[in-house]
Amino acid sequence: MNSKITNQLKEKYETLNQDVDTHLEGLLHSKPINYWDYVQTDALLNLQIQRTVFPDEKVFIMYHQISELLFKMILSEIEQVAETANISAEIFTDKIMRISRYFDVLTSSFSIMKDGMDIEQYNKFRTTLTPASGFQSAQYRKIEFSSTELINLIDNRFRKTIDRNSSYENAFEHLYWQAAGKDYKTGKKTYTLSAFEARYKDEFIRFTKFYQKNNLWSKFKTLPKQDQQDKALVDAMRHYDYTVNIKWVMAHYNTANHYLNIGGKTAEATGGSEWVKYMHPKYQKRIFFPDLWTEQELTDWGTDI
């Protein structure tokens, strides 16, 4: 064995107060790694549990599982930005573009959903999904929380009147996606929203307490003025904002419209939401980085598509 590597191994395990010979003996008895064990292929390919016998339901399940894996990759990149002190404009730009590429994949992948399932099959197996809803993706909610300040995620009807220093609890009750399952006149929530909150609300509030000051937008605003004016970084931020809040949202919207708006009649979403106004960007005007857009661009958000 190379003496340099041997010495490095000894140093490593001595630092951990471990016996290097014991660990080397473990290598003697261990099996070589292979692809299927490393990727956990068997486990991964057995995660598709259908509720019906329709073949295209499997497409639907796998598509959403792939999306969740991409969401996890995105959150990993955001976390690295959030936890890096004195991050440079170059590294910030690189991370934002990585995230955007993941969303580019998500956006283009909607053709799999739109053109890859039989409409008749979909409209049969979807009834077994009630009251589950896509807005119950906790990882996507975390992407939003970690991308911008909470005020930018408030329902557009209340955004101008709510106190920016409002409690997390109050802000949470006015987040835009609450409209997918809440009657604001009565305060009554659907089972879909109530179940989602019971599972994730406490976790979300803990999550937002860290990201309220460490989200991408807040982090950007702590950069030196010179870095905030870096063209590559500003372009990357705008690209990410547009990709997520217009391109990806509209790809989702158009796919839903393909299956749920048949013969001029709009079907209700499985979670019971008024999905047209909930999803379309021109209604909610979800914008992560508002100061990077002109007044006209903000006014026209989501109307040029």
Side-chain angles (χ1 to χ4, degrees):
M1 181 182 289
N2 185 299
S3 59
K4 182 179 179 181
I5 293 176
T6 303
N7 290 334
Q8 288 175 333
L9 284 170
K10 286 181 179 179
E11 183 179 344
K12 172 185 175 178
Y13 287 108
E14 283 174 1
T15 302
L16 298 172
N17 197 28
Q18 295 285 305
D19 179 43
V20 66
D21 289 338
T22 301
H23 285 273
L24 289 174
E25 185 178 352
L27 286 175
L28 180 65
H29 302 301
S30 65
K31 294 189 302 181
I33 191 68
N34 51 55
Y35 173 83
W36 51 91
D37 285 336
Y38 183 70
V39 180
Q40 292 291 295
T41 309
D42 291 342
L44 187 64
L45 298 182
N46 281 284
L47 292 174
Q48 294 75 48
I49 311 300
Q50 292 184 231
R51 293 176 63 85
T52 72
V53 297
F54 299 110
D56 283 355
E57 185 189 359
K58 190 174 290 184
V59 175
F60 187 81
I61 294 170
M62 287 189 285
Y63 177 82
H64 284 85
Q65 290 177 339
I66 291 167
S67 295
E68 290 293 337
L69 289 173
L70 283 162
F71 290 160
K72 188 171 184 178
M73 294 167 79
I74 290 165
L75 284 168
S76 175
E77 299 294 344
I78 295 176
E79 182 181 23
Q80 291 174 63
V81 174
E83 295 183 350
T84 301
N86 303 316
I87 191 168
S88 68
E90 183 179 6
I91 293 175
F92 207 134
T93 302
D94 177 67
K95 294 298 183 185
I96 294 293
M97 290 311 298
R98 284 193 191 187
I99 296 166
S100 291
R101 284 193 289 273
Y102 294 141
F103 267 106
D104 284 339
V105 172
L106 285 163
T107 301
S108 62
S109 71
F110 266 109
S111 62
I112 295 171
M113 287 275 283
K114 183 174 179 293
D115 302 316
M117 293 190 301
D118 180 82
I119 292 178
E120 185 177 355
Q121 283 190 37
Y122 172 79
N123 281 297
K124 286 180 179 177
F125 74 68
R126 72 180 291 272
T127 61
T128 70
L129 308 181
T130 304
S133 170
F135 91 79
Q136 292 176 314
S137 170
Q139 286 200 115
Y140 185 69
R141 299 303 156 211
K142 286 183 175 181
I143 289 171
E144 294 181 316
F145 291 143
S146 57
S147 290
T148 192
E149 297 162 350
L150 280 178
I151 191 67
N152 297 322
L153 301 175
I154 298 295
D155 191 304
N156 195 39
R157 293 171 292 177
F158 314 118
R159 199 175 298 158
K160 291 182 179 179
T161 58
I162 198 166
D163 183 356
R164 278 183 170 267
N165 297 314
S166 179
S167 68
Y168 290 104
E169 288 280 350
N170 186 50
F172 190 90
E173 289 299 322
H174 291 85
L175 293 171
Y176 81 90
W177 46 265
Q178 288 270 335
K182 181 177 180 178
D183 184 333
Y184 279 99
K185 292 181 180 179
T186 65
K188 185 177 180 180
K189 299 181 180 182
T190 63
Y191 172 82
T192 302
L193 179 57
S194 297
F196 185 51
E197 289 184 353
R199 174 66 176 83
Y200 290 111
K201 185 175 181 179
D202 290 345
E203 182 179 341
F204 284 162
I205 290 176
R206 289 194 300 271
F207 187 85
T208 54
K209 284 182 178 178
F210 172 74
Y211 276 102
Q212 180 63 358
K213 292 185 178 179
N214 293 286
N215 62 77
L216 295 175
W217 183 221
S218 294
K219 197 83 173 179
F220 174 85
K221 291 191 289 186
T222 66
L223 295 174
K225 290 295 182 183
Q226 182 178 350
D227 287 349
Q228 290 186 42
Q229 295 168 1
D230 184 276
K231 186 177 185 305
L233 177 55
V234 171
D235 287 348
M237 297 282 281
R238 283 169 55 92
H239 177 76
Y240 173 52
D241 210 350
Y242 188 86
T243 298
V244 177
N245 290 314
I246 292 185
K247 288 178 66 179
W248 186 73
V249 171
M250 283 307 301
H252 192 174
Y253 175 89
N254 289 331
T255 300
N257 194 58
H258 176 71
Y259 288 102
L260 301 180
N261 192 359
I262 301 171
K265 183 179 180 180
T266 302
E268 187 178 83
T270 51
S273 67
E274 190 179 358
W275 61 272
V276 175
K277 289 189 176 181
Y278 158 67
M279 291 179 65
H280 202 293
K282 72 179 180 181
Y283 294 110
Q284 281 295 340
K285 292 188 181 293
R286 296 186 295 279
I287 304 170
F288 290 158
F289 318 127
D291 294 353
L292 300 184
W293 302 92
T294 66
E295 286 297 324
Q296 191 61 53
E297 287 172 327
L298 294 174
T299 300
D300 295 339
W301 193 263
T303 62
D304 59 344
I305 45 180

